[in-house]
């Protein structure tokens, strides 16, 4: 089994895709006005419209209702990325902070309120774990 992607359901696909394109520097690939993907070398962030939910099961997902999942991106320099996002990101939850497990993390919310973590490994163990 391979983990391939995570999908965010939203009421405004264009807005959320634009946010993630700007925040990550990754261009989205659009399949339709209701579905786009931002593909990285290791995983894909899929963004789907509320109109796609009934195809799976009506009411199975609600946009802007998540308070449990953190979407995480490995970046080369989280402090520099933070500087680039100031004035763009509306809600920073945590400024760049070095965590006990060795990552320097920046936590913020996307326009739908989903938590996003940009992080850079800084301890020797974390650097080894995420070596590319």
């Amino acid at each position: 089994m391979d983990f391939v992607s995570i999908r965010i359901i939203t009421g405004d696909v264009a807005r959320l895709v634009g946010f993630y394109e700007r925040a990550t520097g990754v261009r989205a690939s659009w399949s339709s006005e209701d579905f786009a993907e931002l593909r990285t070398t290791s995983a894909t962030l899929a963004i789907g419209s509320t109109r796609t939910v009934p195809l799976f099961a009506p009411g199975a997902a609600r946009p802007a209702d998540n308070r449990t999942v953190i979407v995480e991106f490995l970046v080369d320099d989280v402090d520099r990325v933070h500087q680039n996002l100031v004035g763009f990101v509306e809600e920073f939850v945590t400024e760049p902070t070095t965590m006990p497990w060795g990552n320097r993390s920046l936590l913020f919310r996307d326009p739908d309120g989903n938590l996003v973590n940009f992080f850079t490994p800084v301890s020797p163990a974390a650097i080894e774990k995420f070596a590319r």
Side-chain angles (χ1 to χ4, degrees):
M1 179 184 301
D2 289 327
F3 182 76
V4 177
S5 71
I6 187 166
R7 184 178 313 189
I8 298 174
I9 298 297
T10 183
D12 190 339
V13 176
R15 177 190 66 162
L16 207 56
V17 168
F19 175 85
Y20 279 100
E21 283 182 328
R22 165 69 171 80
T24 65
V26 176
R27 299 282 298 160
S29 171
W30 289 82
S31 298
S32 73
E33 66 179 338
D34 290 319
F35 187 79
E37 294 177 315
L38 287 89
R39 294 184 189 113
T40 70
T41 57
S42 57
T44 297
L45 175 61
I47 300 174
S49 166
T50 53
R51 291 187 295 257
T52 66
V53 174
L55 300 171
F56 294 101
R62 292 185 307 266
D65 199 30
N66 171 40
R67 294 291 183 204
T68 59
V69 174
I70 303 173
V71 181
E72 298 186 301
F73 294 89
L74 175 65
V75 299
D76 290 332
D77 182 345
V78 74
D79 292 285
R80 186 178 35 123
V81 170
H82 174 247
Q83 291 173 350
N84 292 337
L85 294 177
V86 170
F88 172 69
V89 169
E90 291 184 17
E91 184 181 351
F92 287 104
V93 176
T94 304
E95 303 290 319
T97 304
T98 302
M99 299 300 191
W101 47 89
N103 293 333
R104 189 152 173 80
S105 295
L106 168 66
L107 196 63
F108 57 95
R109 293 197 184 276
D110 73 15
D112 278 3
N114 300 301
L115 282 172
V116 181
N117 178 33
F118 282 4
F119 72 94
T120 302
V122 293
S123 73
I127 290 168
E128 182 179 337
K129 177 181 178 181
F130 291 102
R132 300 186 207 187

